[in-house]
């Protein structure tokens, strides 16, 4: 679908269902603010990025990296302590762990915790949001463009990627859309394939409530003081 269709879709709810924007915006704001609630956050600007590191008394951590100029989210990852108290593996929600760049791919290789690296030729799924849309990329899928079938499973409220050659299959949800009380709608989704990069790109237009919540979260982040060195100052989140 065209970019204009994505923009129009953002203003639409599920066909035939009323859109409660005020309630949805409150839920979205609550979801965004709960990302750091109850934790201690440090903020530092380094290498053109603003990096937020939030920790909680139970040892869990959240790391966010934003472009220092555009404020676009480049990386969000979190981890919790294991049952024996050791640091768990990072779970990347947005961006890429191996390179720390939004344009990267794969799952990374830690020589301290892994015995072998994942093959760079394997399909790599990651999320890289744009300003007005959620975006996901599947790299290393060198198949003909007509091989891909991407659609919204409205009953399960997830996006499904499959290939006709049965070499790739993926189901995933969009938690921010659920947080505002919306259901995924096929008209809000679009996808295209870049054969030269062997990359499939899926986009889903952000509902207006999500855009408002992100704007509010940006204001909250602006209240955090930047430190010269990571870990210098803790900013308590309410």
């Amino acid at each position: 679908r065209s970019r204009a269709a994505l923009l129009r879709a953002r203003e639409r709810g599920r066909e035939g269902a009323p859109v409660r924007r005020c309630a949805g915006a409150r839920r979205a704001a609550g979801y965004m603010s709960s990302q750091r609630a109850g934790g201690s956050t440090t903020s530092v600007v380094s290498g053109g990025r603003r990096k937020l590191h939030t920790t909680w008394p139970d040892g869990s951590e959240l790391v966010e990296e934003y472009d220092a100029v555009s404020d676009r989210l480049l990386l969000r990852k979190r981890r919790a302590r294991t049952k024996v108290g050791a640091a768990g593996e990072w779970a990347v929600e947005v961006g890429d762990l191996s390179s720390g760049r939004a344009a990267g791919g794969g799952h990374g290789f830690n020589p301290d915790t892994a015995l072998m690296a994942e093959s760079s030729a394997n399909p790599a799924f990651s999320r890289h949001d744009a300003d007005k849309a959620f975006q996901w990329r599947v790299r290393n899928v060198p198949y003909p463009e007509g091989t891909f079938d991407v659609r919204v499973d409205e009953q399960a409220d997830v996006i499904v990627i499959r290939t006709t050659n049965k070499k790739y299959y993926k189901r995933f949800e969009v938690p921010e859309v659920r947080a505002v009380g919306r259901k995924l709608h096929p008209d809000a989704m679009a996808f295209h394939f870049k054969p030269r990069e062997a990359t499939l790109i899926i986009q889903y237009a952000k509902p207006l409530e999500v855009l408002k919540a992100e704007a509010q979260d940006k204001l909250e982040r602006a209240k955090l003081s930047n430190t010269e060195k990571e870990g210098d100052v803790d900013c308590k989140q309410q």
Side-chain angles (χ1 to χ4, degrees):
R1 296 183 180 87
S2 66
R3 188 179 187 86
L6 279 173
L7 295 174
R8 289 195 300 271
R10 189 183 308 119
E11 299 299 328
R12 299 178 55 186
R14 193 176 181 86
E15 290 183 1
V19 179
R20 296 181 174 88
R21 297 191 183 280
C22 293
R26 286 195 295 269
R27 284 193 292 266
Y31 175 83
M32 299 294 293
S33 62
S34 67
Q35 297 285 321
R36 303 177 214 97
S40 295
T41 301
T42 59
S43 173
V44 61
V45 176
S46 175
R49 297 181 175 217
R50 188 182 189 198
K51 305 176 182 180
L52 305 183
H53 183 199
T54 304
T55 58
W56 285 268
D58 64 359
S60 57
E61 302 173 71
L62 169 67
V63 171
E64 303 162 274
E65 295 186 7
Y66 296 84
D67 186 282
V69 177
S70 68
D71 198 50
R72 184 169 65 91
L73 178 62
L74 302 177
L75 177 69
R76 183 170 69 217
K77 62 180 181 178
R78 63 178 74 239
R79 68 178 175 182
R81 293 286 177 178
T82 65
K83 292 182 179 180
V84 296
E89 294 290 332
W90 286 107
V92 180
E93 298 177 350
V94 178
D96 174 70
L97 182 59
S98 62
S99 64
R101 298 177 301 174
H107 303 286
F109 173 61
N110 185 341
D112 297 325
T113 61
L115 297 178
M116 62 182 65
E118 180 180 351
S119 171
S120 60
N122 289 338
F125 176 87
S126 55
R127 174 173 155 180
H128 310 273
D129 290 354
D131 291 339
K132 304 299 183 182
F134 303 109
Q135 185 181 107
W136 301 266
R137 300 178 189 175
V138 186
R139 299 175 64 245
N140 301 326
V141 282
Y143 315 132
E145 185 169 2
T147 303
F148 300 98
D149 178 12
V150 185
R151 63 183 64 193
V152 171
D153 183 335
E154 296 184 75
Q155 183 175 359
D157 199 31
V158 297
I159 296 175
V160 181
I161 308 171
R162 57 168 58 89
T163 58
T164 57
N165 60 13
K166 299 183 179 180
K167 292 183 178 293
Y168 187 81
Y169 181 83
K170 178 78 175 179
R171 297 168 64 90
F172 59 95
E173 60 186 44
V174 189
E176 291 87 346
V177 176
R178 289 189 176 184
V180 302
R182 293 280 196 99
K183 293 287 189 179
L184 295 177
H185 196 284
D187 287 350
M189 189 199 70
F191 70 94
H192 65 280
F193 180 65
K194 292 187 174 182
R196 294 185 62 180
E197 292 85 2
T199 299
L200 177 69
I201 299 177
I202 304 104
Q203 291 191 102
Y204 191 92
K206 294 178 180 178
L208 182 61
E209 297 92 335
V210 171
L211 294 175
K212 289 182 177 179
E214 289 180 343
Q216 180 61 40
D217 186 63
K218 181 177 180 178
L219 295 177
E220 294 299 322
R221 294 197 308 273
K223 297 177 183 178
L224 297 173
S225 299
N226 293 322
T227 62
E228 293 185 2
K229 296 181 179 180
E230 295 186 37
D232 283 352
V233 178
D234 282 342
C235 304
K236 185 69 174 178
Q237 301 297 304
Q238 302 299 322

